Amino acid sequence: MRTLYDLAGNDDSQRFSPYCFRVKWAMHIKQLDYQSELVRFTEKEKLAFSHQNMVPILRDGDAVICDSWAILQHLDTHYPETPRVFSANAASAAADNFIRHWCDKSLHPALFCMAAPHIYTKLAPKDQAYYRETREKRLGKTLEAVLADREIYFANLQRTVEVLRATFADQPFLAGEKPGLSDVLVISAFMWVDAVMPSPLFDADDAITQWGLRVKKAWAWPKA
Amino acid sequence: MRTLYDLAGNDDSQRFSPYCFRVKWAMHIKQLDYQSELVRFTEKEKLAFSHQNMVPILRDGDAVICDSWAILQHLDTHYPETPRVFSANAASAAADNFIRHWCDKSLHPALFCMAAPHIYTKLAPKDQAYYRETREKRLGKTLEAVLADREIYFANLQRTVEVLRATFADQPFLAGEKPGLSDVLVISAFMWVDAVMPSPLFDADDAITQWGLRVKKAWAWPKA
């Protein structure tokens, strides 16, 4: 049996790791069953078997794979009869890697500044102190100050995602006429944040909102 | 004969349109000869024949093509025996379109804040007043104030290009093992700015500098 170690909030249904969402998308696309082992921020001891302290981790039989990218590679390699996650075209795969790093370096930081104060409210009480200390250090200010500056952070997010809207003016998916890995990477980032925001980041008719609906429809993502 | 209308400074050798660089790269890759018709900012009357006022414009026999993207498409369509600029793989082409828009929306604006005051010094005297007025309006401050804030803009540029360095840690070119259109788009942006900066933006051993050298070597870009 496959087990995915996934980051959860106080409510089990609250999941907020963009990297775990990537893996869940890959499992969904490949129609591979798995069970979830929920982990809170301060339950790192649950991950000791992996000799590191980050989710996602996939246990697949005797194999233990850490890091979402390595897990996606494992899934393509070990389940070659299922739909591929990585593009078979080398140039396309190379471009997907650019978009992966764009998520890490630009999209995730811009989204995190919007989501950070809201993630806090969704955490298990035992996680809140740890989260506040580590995230305030990373952000350079208190969570309350981050919330107060939300208009500045939203303007930065809007600049960051202009590339997405411009692209969706030309093509329905990042991967072109059909969704691909790049769409998985970017939608995983938005799902991470959508799960905690008190109201949607973008209007219902925004090109990004519409694209998100297309991706979920194209791959029949299960409704919550 | 093919004629490329290219934006020039006071010195004919000074060219600074990233979009013109894209076309020059495509002509180089395809080994298509052309002559350059130099245009200054205030010589828009030279472009009247095209019924718009932006470079690049390519005259190719009776055809007049405006917009760099349309020119690249024209070149691939009309010279099918030459190396393609656009990827033949649909997903790869779709990702290149994302990188094109990333250049427009993120990389060019970040670079422009570094280059704007220096471009001014390279312009023909008759262009300087026009340039100062239009660019100060766009930047929201004087060129002198932009120069004074260069450390802030450089920090923003560094954040913007982190995605490139992260990608080059995994692969030699944006397009993978060999350079492709995405490399052309990004190197054209840096060539635009390199041409005017008083000193290089990045160190000689920076991953972006090293990638630029690889691109020029792989395609035997002529030395200045």
Side-chain angles (χ1 to χ4, degrees):
Chain A
M1 186 56 187
R2 288 169 290 268
T3 304
L4 174 65
Y5 290 74
D6 192 2
L7 190 67
N10 197 36
D11 179 341
D12 279 359
S13 71
Q14 196 91 48
R15 313 290 176 85
F16 29 61
S17 158
Y19 301 101
C20 292
F21 273 116
R22 292 179 183 181
V23 175
K24 287 180 272 190
W25 268 102
M27 301 290 253
H28 174 70
I29 291 167
K30 292 177 166 293
Q31 303 199 322
L32 295 171
D33 292 332
Y34 64 98
Q35 59 188 23
S36 292
E37 178 70 34
L38 303 188
V39 185
R40 272 82 191 181
F41 277 107
T42 52
E43 294 178 337
K44 302 286 191 186
E45 75 282 359
K46 275 195 186 173
L47 313 179
F49 72 92
S50 72
H51 305 295
Q52 55 89 60
N53 62 5
M54 312 260 277
V55 292
I57 304 167
L58 181 70
R59 252 190 207 277
D60 190 357
D62 290 337
V64 172
I65 311 106
C66 306
D67 180 81
S68 64
W69 206 249
I71 292 171
L72 301 191
Q73 289 169 327
H74 165 87
L75 294 175
D76 266 1
T77 304
H78 287 256
Y79 302 99
E81 74 285 2
T82 64
R84 287 180 62 90
V85 172
F86 286 94
S87 174
N89 175 271
S92 169
D96 287 343
N97 194 39
F98 175 91
I99 293 177
R100 163 201 181 196
H101 289 302
W102 177 76
C103 287
D104 279 355
K105 302 296 186 184
S106 295
L107 182 60
H108 289 182
L111 285 169
F112 183 64
C113 292
M114 294 300 297
H118 304 291
I119 292 174
Y120 179 80
T121 67
K122 307 287 185 185
L123 294 179
K126 64 178 177 177
D127 279 1
Q128 288 185 318
Y130 165 84
Y131 177 87
R132 179 183 281 280
E133 186 186 339
T134 54
R135 270 46 180 186
E136 290 187 347
K137 194 171 176 184
R138 188 193 298 174
L139 292 159
K141 56 175 85 169
T142 65
L143 294 173
E144 289 71 21
V146 171
L147 186 63
D149 283 344
R150 61 186 173 277
E151 289 188 17
I152 297 168
Y153 292 124
F154 190 62
N156 178 57
L157 175 64
Q158 290 284 39
R159 280 192 296 277
T160 303
V161 300
E162 273 187 61
V163 56
L164 296 174
R165 296 198 183 100
T167 303
F168 300 141
D170 296 331
Q171 59 200 47
F173 299 103
L174 293 173
E177 294 301 315
K178 292 183 296 184
L181 175 55
S182 49
D183 296 278
V184 166
L185 302 176
V186 175
I187 202 170
S188 294
F190 286 110
M191 290 172 78
W192 160 52
V193 169
D194 286 345
V196 299
M197 297 303 289
S199 60
L201 279 174
F202 306 124
D203 292 341
D205 62 354
D206 189 287
I208 296 171
T209 309
Q210 291 295 315
W211 156 82
L213 294 173
R214 283 196 298 275
V215 174
K216 290 179 180 178
K217 185 176 177 190
W219 269 320
W221 180 258
K223 290 205 170 115
Chain B
M1 187 55 187
R2 288 168 291 267
T3 304
L4 173 65
Y5 290 74
D6 192 3
L7 190 66
N10 197 35
D11 179 341
D12 280 357
S13 70
Q14 195 89 47
R15 312 290 176 85
F16 31 60
S17 158
Y19 301 101
C20 291
F21 272 116
R22 291 180 183 182
V23 176
K24 288 180 272 190
W25 268 101
M27 302 290 252
H28 174 71
I29 291 167
K30 292 178 167 293
Q31 303 200 323
L32 295 172
D33 292 334
Y34 64 97
Q35 59 188 24
S36 293
E37 179 70 35
L38 302 188
V39 185
R40 270 80 190 182
F41 277 107
T42 53
E43 293 179 340
K44 303 284 191 186
E45 76 282 358
K46 275 195 185 174
L47 313 180
F49 72 92
S50 72
H51 306 293
Q52 56 88 59
N53 62 5
M54 312 261 276
V55 292
I57 302 166
L58 182 70
R59 254 191 206 276
D60 190 358
D62 291 336
V64 172
I65 309 103
C66 308
D67 181 82
S68 64
W69 207 249
I71 294 172
L72 301 192
Q73 288 170 328
H74 165 87
L75 294 175
D76 265 2
T77 304
H78 286 256
Y79 302 99
E81 74 286 2
T82 63
R84 286 180 63 89
V85 173
F86 285 93
S87 174
N89 175 271
S92 169
D96 287 345
N97 194 40
F98 174 90
I99 294 177
R100 163 201 183 198
H101 289 301
W102 178 75
C103 287
D104 279 356
K105 302 296 186 183
S106 296
L107 182 60
H108 289 181
L111 283 169
F112 182 64
C113 292
M114 295 301 297
H118 304 290
I119 292 173
Y120 179 80
T121 67
K122 308 286 186 184
L123 294 179
K126 64 178 175 177
D127 278 0
Q128 287 184 318
Y130 164 83
Y131 177 87
R132 179 183 283 278
E133 186 185 340
T134 55
R135 271 47 181 185
E136 290 187 345
K137 194 169 176 186
R138 188 192 299 175
L139 291 159
K141 54 175 88 170
T142 65
L143 295 173
E144 289 72 18
V146 171
L147 186 64
D149 283 343
R150 62 187 172 276
E151 289 188 19
I152 296 169
Y153 292 124
F154 190 61
N156 179 56
L157 175 63
Q158 290 283 39
R159 278 191 297 275
T160 303
V161 300
E162 272 187 62
V163 56
L164 296 174
R165 296 199 182 100
T167 304
F168 299 142
D170 297 330
Q171 58 200 48
F173 299 102
L174 293 174
E177 293 301 315
K178 294 184 295 186
L181 175 55
S182 49
D183 296 278
V184 166
L185 301 176
V186 175
I187 202 169
S188 293
F190 285 111
M191 289 172 79
W192 160 53
V193 169
D194 286 345
V196 299
M197 296 304 289
S199 58
L201 279 174
F202 305 122
D203 291 342
D205 62 354
D206 189 288
I208 296 172
T209 310
Q210 291 295 315
W211 156 82
L213 294 173
R214 283 195 298 275
V215 174
K216 289 180 180 178
K217 185 176 176 189
W219 269 320
W221 180 259
K223 290 211 172 106

